């Protein structure tokens, strides 16, 4: 190897070594390691326990390795003593230590299972579709999509369904994952300790747009949750003004109404997400773009450009009708 190449490689290795802590310091504790719910507290505790156990094993291994090197320098060591030492290491490191570690993890796991919330003060049905989430409340009864509101300090029992293929429901800051399997109802209880917006994702590969199958859990104080329920269970606002009325007509005339529900209107398709209070949602296409006028226009005309493989076909519409339709959809607070 040429001397120049060797120096370059050495420099590159040094750079990696110097930069690693700097790069890692850019990571903040987020997701499952910044728990805001009882279920996630438990997983986080287990994670740290395993981390410190692994760290202790690593340090112990390093010490033994150093000790071994040191012993090798002493050829006059007593051979009988050497054999006894080997036996001790085999029994200690091969039997006692694993039993201890797995024993601690086993009992901690049992405790963790018992500590999971399992109440049903509020019950919500969540259904996974390729590639979005339907969310159905029962009291009062209404359906929405991609934003799951829950009251803080309350056990919220989720009944998880899947319409087409297997999905998996995961809100890292609130709880562990739970698979959603067609033809089966799995349950998971969320308990958010504090208000906030928590990112949720599909955690089971379910097709081309698995990566864009996100949702938000919005945890709000119970009084605010009651207000939200009341608002959401009401039918859509009537179109007000010429542009909104023209947009309403454009929506009903185009193919939109055969795939989406807008409560209080003839739109009653069940293929895509409910749009009754669509404008109150923050994201489009299950987290693929912000819900603003520009992205919404692009989404309607060609959602395949933003999220290839999703099940919404392009809508053929002229510019004036599109503008009115956007005005109408943005009025659906
Ligand atoms: Cu649904 Cu991945």
């Amino acid at each position: 190897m040429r001397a120049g190449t060797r120096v370059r490689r050495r420099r590159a290795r040094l750079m990696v070594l110097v930069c690693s802590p700097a790069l890692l310091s850019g990571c903040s504790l987020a997701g499952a390691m910044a728990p805001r719910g009882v279920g996630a507290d438990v997983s986080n505790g287990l994670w740290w326990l395993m981390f410190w156990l692994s760290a202790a094993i690593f340090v112990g291994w390093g010490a033994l390795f150093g000790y071994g090197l040191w012993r090798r320098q002493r050829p006059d060591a007593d051979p009988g003593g050497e054999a006894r030492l080997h036996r001790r290491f085999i029994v200690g490191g091969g039997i006692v230590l694993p039993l201890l570690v797995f024993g601690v993890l086993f009992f901690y796991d049992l405790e963790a299972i018992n500590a999971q919330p399992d109440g049903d003060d509020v019950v919500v049905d969540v259904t996974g579709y390729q590639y979005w989430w339907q969310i159905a409340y029962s009291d009062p009864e209404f359906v929405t999509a991609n934003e799951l509101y829950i009251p803080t300090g309350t056990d919220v029992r989720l009944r998880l369904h899947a319409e087409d293929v297997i999905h998996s429901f995961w809100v890292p800051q609130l709880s562990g994952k739970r698979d959603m399997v067609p033809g089966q109802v799995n349950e998971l209880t969320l308990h958010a300790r504090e208000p906030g917006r928590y990112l949720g994702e599909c955690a089971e590969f379910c097709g081309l747009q698995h990566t864009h199958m996100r949702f938000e859990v919005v945890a709000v104080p119970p009084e605010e949750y009651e207000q939200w329920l009341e608002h959401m269970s009401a039918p859509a606002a009537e179109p007000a003004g010429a542009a909104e009325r023209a947009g309403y007509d454009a929506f009903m005339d185009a193919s939109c109404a055969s795939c989406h529900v807008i409560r209080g209107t003839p739109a009653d398709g069940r293929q895509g997400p409910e749009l009754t209070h669509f404008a109150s949602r923050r994201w489009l296409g299950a987290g693929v773009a912000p819900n603003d006028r520009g992205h919404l226009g692009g989404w309607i005309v060609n959602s395949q450009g933003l999220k290839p493989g999703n099940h919404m076909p392009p809508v053929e519409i002229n510019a004036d009708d599109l503008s009115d339709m956007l005005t109408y959809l943005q009025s659906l607070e």
Side-chain angles (χ1 to χ4, degrees), residues 242-327:
E244 284 181 25
R245 269 194 295 277
Y248 171 93
D249 291 339
F251 186 93
M252 299 305 157
D253 292 344
S255 50
C256 316
S258 56
C259 287
H260 296 279
V261 170
I262 298 181
R263 274 178 274 131
T265 78
D268 64 351
R270 312 244 158 214
Q271 306 292 317
E274 249 266 344
L275 299 179
T276 309
H277 296 281
F278 165 76
S280 67
R281 303 208 281 262
R282 284 230 296 204
W283 296 94
L284 272 183
V288 82
N291 186 7
D292 55 34
R293 195 174 173 93
H295 285 99
L296 181 57
W299 178 266
I300 293 171
V301 174
N302 182 19
S303 70
Q304 298 300 321
L306 281 166
K307 191 170 172 176
N310 88 82
H311 296 322
M312 176 162 155
V315 175
E316 276 186 31
I317 188 168
N318 69 49
D320 289 340
D321 285 350
L322 176 63
S323 172
D324 292 337
M325 195 195 282
L326 292 173
T327 305

Side-chain angles (χ1 to χ4, degrees), residues 167 202 204-206 210 213:
H167 303 273
C202 178
E204 177 71 44
F205 181 73
C206 55
H210 156 69
M213 187 167 165

